[in-house]
Amino acid sequence: MARITIDLDAELVVEVMVLAGIGSPQDAVEAVVRDYIARGHRTETRTGFEDRNLREIDAKPQEPQG
């Protein structure tokens, strides 16, 4: 799996660690990202997958316009 490195405000990460009861900064950030993705999937399920269909359309290469 590919990995990336980013800089985050330490206070934000510490707050996530405390709220989630997670001891590792990396695990805390991963938990937030996974929760965000899961929330998006739940929303797509409730709305009839409209967002997923839009995402698939946007992912296709588009022909030059103009």
Side-chain angles (χ1 to χ4, degrees):
M1 176 185 303
R3 299 242 178 226
I4 61 167
T5 302
I6 58 171
D7 293 326
L8 293 173
D9 185 289
E11 290 181 21
L12 294 174
V13 177
V14 169
E15 189 163 350
V16 170
M17 290 171 63
V18 170
L19 290 171
I22 297 174
S24 160
Q26 180 172 336
D27 290 345
V29 172
E30 285 184 18
V32 170
V33 172
R34 290 180 190 281
D35 181 63
Y36 182 82
I37 292 169
R39 184 177 301 170
H41 289 298
R42 289 191 303 268
T43 300
E44 288 175 347
T45 300
R46 288 187 202 141
T47 60
F49 300 102
E50 290 179 23
D51 292 340
R52 181 176 296 161
N53 292 336
L54 290 174
R55 188 178 321 126
E56 289 170 359
I57 291 169
D58 288 341
K60 294 178 185 175
Q62 300 204 0
E63 294 182 22
Q65 298 176 0

